[in-house]
Amino acid sequence: MKQFLLTFAAVVLAGIFLLALPLIIISAIASAAMSDDKNEIKQHTVVTLDLSEALTDRDMDSPAYRLRNVMSGAEATHGLNTLAKKLDLAANDENVVALYLEGADAKVNMANMRAVRQLIANFKKESGKPVYYYDDYIDADNTLYIASVADSIFINPEGLVSMYGAVVSKLFYKNLADKIGVGFDIIKHGRYKSAVEPFFRDSMSDDDRAQSQRICDVIWAEIRDSIAAGRGIKQPEVIDQYIDNLESFVGKLDRAVEIGLVDGGVYYDQFKEKLAAIAKVDAADLNFKSVYDLTLAPKLSDSGNLAVIYAQGEILVGENDSDEGNIYSDNLAATIRKARLDDDIKAVVLRVNSPGGSALASEVIWREVCLTVAVKPVVVSMGGYAASGGYYISCAANYIYAEPTTLTGSIGVYGMIPNAEKLAQNVGVNLDIVASSKNPTVTGFRALKETEKAALVRSVERTYHTFVSHVSEGRHMTYEAVDSIGQGRVWMGADAVNNGLVDELGNINDAIAKAASLAGLDDYEVAEFPKIDDSPMAVFKSMGVSVRATVGHYILGSDFDKFERLRSQVEASPASIWARCDVEVK
């Protein structure tokens, strides 16, 4: 039966490929035919940047991946790595008259939004061209944070400027699990290690509440103070009052204009007239072009003497060539190893944007980082997250950069084994075992015996000791010093500089410059890894991942990602130990 299903699936995939092949060919021909027109920047062009389009560290925009997204319904993503180059292109093209920001709900994480804001500020400074924001409404603090660097902000006269402040919220499943008869045997090291609290508590612990409050305070201070500075608001506390008093709902646009959050309410046709006045042309003569549609000059070679390696997503054991959204230990270790063994590459920048995952997978990657540090400089650039396993793979680097709002640290581990014995009994299922040993494999249908629980405790403690020892060695700190700031505590990037977990605040460009300096490179070319497999076969291999995610998000919404994390832990070996940070800020 299994062989039949595999054969059937292969036939279906082959059929899809044959059906899609003409579309691929036609698309390629049409793209080539229209390339000159598409690539042209016409006179009086307003370049648009839609903040609601997903933005990640690395651009995955390629013909094959665009096809995959169309076929699976997945959302296309853009990368910070090319946004900077395209904004620079727009700044230096005489046909571009302005930059127009739009998108009510910015889909940029807390650390990357600072980088985007800085890119827009650089565009203004270097080009002298105006930057405007317009949309029907604003529904995210992130949006206003980025837009506040613009010269003017307008929305629809009936629109709202909704702000909420920084929020950490968590769902707790203990009571539900109790009702359906599922329990969890949980061992953790770290009083702040809160990833497993939803399964044995019904609210945040005092320690988790304290660290979450600190995270909210630091992030909100960055957002509020930057908005105030960008908008010329002399008393930032009026923004706090605006949120606390729900003034976006009571006063509508009037109050937002009064305190300076936006410049006023206009309709889209009126906004276009403002842009036309800047270009000194009629509104009908304006041309609008997405910044993502600007075409960069092709690189003559994919090689370089400075490697930027992207590590983005959950850290999992093994190899997977079809799931580019997560980190697999064998894949990333091989990529780092290739950079280490390449004599032409003189330095490595590891761009980490990960909340962690498997401790074992993190150990595999950490070892390759150590081996690379022994022969050439490795500099880490932290994105929105480089916590728990994300910090594990970073700690051996020669130098570490983080953004002020990066979530990092979280040096702690846990093990979690579900126990569905009561649920099984309730539905009439009984477990019986015959085995050759006293402690047969844990099945998930019975509670752990004391001997098994003791073994899990030893495993967790050993892994925590290894984690702390690695940090101690990499950061040149005593074991006791690392342990005191460990215990699963999540630190903001700004705090991590003060406690020694991070060397300096900065972005990926700072990390690249530092790596070049450590390697003695006055002149360098950046090569990005892992290389994107743009072949049709790579598209079909990743289709299952994309379809699964699309259907899952349709059914469960944002909770699908939490379900996937739980599933990956439950499906792993019962002896698996996890180094993961679960804090999410909205």
Side-chain angles (χ1 to χ4, degrees), residues 437-564:
S437 66
K438 295 180 180 179
N439 296 295
T441 302
V442 177
T443 66
F445 283 96
R446 63 172 176 81
L448 290 181
K449 296 185 291 186
E450 288 304 316
T451 53
E452 294 168 332
K453 188 173 292 187
L456 181 59
V457 169
R458 290 195 300 272
S459 182
V460 167
E461 293 299 323
R462 183 181 67 251
T463 304
Y464 178 78
H465 176 81
T466 300
F467 193 170
V468 173
S469 297
H470 289 339
V471 177
S472 173
E473 178 182 357
R475 301 303 300 164
H476 309 293
M477 301 167 66
T478 66
Y479 183 96
E480 291 73 21
V482 176
D483 184 44
S484 69
I485 57 176
Q487 300 295 324
R489 177 71 183 264
V490 181
W491 298 95
M492 304 304 298
D495 294 329
V497 172
N498 295 328
N499 64 29
L501 294 179
V502 168
D503 290 294
E504 190 175 348
L505 296 178
N507 56 34
I508 190 169
N509 292 327
D510 297 317
I512 291 172
K514 182 68 174 182
S517 174
L518 291 176
L521 297 175
D522 295 324
D523 199 16
Y524 56 89
E525 187 74 23
V526 173
E528 296 184 330
F529 299 95
K531 297 298 185 183
I532 298 174
D533 186 353
D534 201 22
S535 66
M537 185 56 66
V539 176
F540 287 111
K541 286 171 68 176
S542 63
M543 282 293 293
V545 175
S546 298
V547 172
R548 177 188 180 91
T550 301
V551 174
H553 281 109
Y554 179 79
I555 297 173
L556 298 174
S558 60
D559 288 332
F560 173 73
D561 295 327
K562 298 176 183 178
F563 168 79
E564 282 292 278

Side-chain angles (χ1 to χ4, degrees), residues 2 22 92 99-100 119 139 175 266 322 443-444 574:
K2 180 179 179 181
N92 291 288
L99 177 63
Y100 160 28
L119 289 177
D139 192 35
N175 293 338
V266 299
S322 61
T443 66

Side-chain angles (χ1 to χ4, degrees), residues 49-64:
L49 173 56
D50 189 346
L51 303 177
S52 67
E53 293 190 29
L55 186 68
T56 58
D57 285 347
R58 188 181 191 188
D59 196 343
M60 298 297 291
D61 187 29
S62 65

Side-chain angles (χ1 to χ4, degrees), residues 266-288:
V266 299
Y267 293 103
Y268 179 64
D269 60 292
Q270 296 172 321
F271 174 69
K272 284 184 65 176
E273 291 292 342
K274 291 180 179 293
L275 293 177
I278 295 171
K280 298 179 182 179
V281 297
D282 291 335
D285 294 329
L286 286 177
N287 294 293
F288 292 86

